[in-house]
Amino acid sequence: MLSTFLLAGCGFHPLYGGMNGRMQATLSQIYVEPVSDKIGYELRNRMIDLLDGQGSAQGAAYRLKLSLTQTSQGIALQSGGNTSSITRYNDTLKVTYTLTDMSGKLITSGIETGLSAYNVLPSGPGLYPNANYGTLAAQQDADQRAAEDIAERIRLDLNVYFVRR
């Protein structure tokens, strides 16, 4: 109890300790522009959910633009006989965001990067008949988790910006 009064006395207030009404109202005025491709769609929807936005530009005070680049890199290799195959991938998702007001004036910007990994199921005669589907599902799940993590970090960045402003 004493620590609460001491922290309050020095001006400390938790960022999320209360997604207070004023911050919530500010974040909900951000319109998130549509992003191409499936992972961009997932990222945009997660951002709208986190910001408690409406998904339309009507009545918004700010515009958030997200640009994605995704790279995939094989990190584990399995050799067998005369063949070798990649058994694990790392996908890197890099998101550049720009927050402007509705007139186009830059408010803040940043870059967030997320890493996701997934295993490649062995496929071939006598192995798993749905291995390709399983690998695709694992990749999509890993990429979705990376997008959700990035969306949370972008919201945190925006929260910090509006608190400091």
Side-chain angles (χ1 to χ4, degrees):
M1 184 76 147
L2 178 62
S3 64
T4 303
F5 291 118
L6 291 174
L7 289 174
C10 71
F12 173 82
H13 56 90
L15 186 60
Y16 287 120
M19 183 74 154
N20 60 33
R22 198 173 58 202
M23 179 59 72
Q24 183 66 35
T26 301
L27 294 178
S28 69
Q29 293 179 348
I30 297 174
Y31 167 66
V32 183
E33 290 186 359
V35 184
S36 63
D37 75 35
K38 184 178 186 320
I39 195 69
Y41 175 81
E42 299 280 347
L43 178 65
R44 179 179 187 257
N45 283 345
R46 185 67 181 152
M47 286 300 312
I48 291 171
D49 288 344
L50 290 172
L51 299 174
D52 199 23
Q54 298 177 13
S56 72
Q58 187 172 9
Y62 305 99
R63 181 179 298 268
L64 181 64
K65 181 177 182 176
L66 305 168
S67 299
L68 303 169
T69 55
Q70 186 175 17
T71 58
S72 187
Q73 180 181 23
I75 59 167
L77 189 67
Q78 182 176 24
S79 297
N82 295 332
T83 62
S84 60
S85 60
I86 296 173
T87 58
R88 188 165 178 84
Y89 280 92
N90 276 351
D91 283 357
T92 304
L93 184 63
K94 181 178 172 184
V95 178
T96 303
Y97 67 91
T98 305
L99 182 69
T100 61
D101 64 13
M102 294 311 275
S103 69
K105 179 183 171 196
L106 178 66
I107 304 294
T108 187
S109 62
I111 298 173
E112 294 291 342
T113 303
L115 178 69
S116 62
Y118 63 95
N119 291 329
V120 177
L121 296 175
S123 62
L127 296 173
Y128 303 107
N130 296 325
N132 291 336
Y133 174 76
T135 300
L136 178 63
Q139 178 188 18
Q140 290 175 346
D141 182 58
D143 291 345
Q144 183 176 352
R145 282 184 278 118
E148 289 175 0
D149 180 50
I150 288 173
E152 298 249 356
R153 285 188 274 146
I154 291 172
R155 182 189 64 168
L156 180 61
D157 288 352
L158 295 175
N159 232 351
V160 168
Y161 170 78
F162 284 114
V163 165
R164 289 183 178 167
R165 189 171 83 164

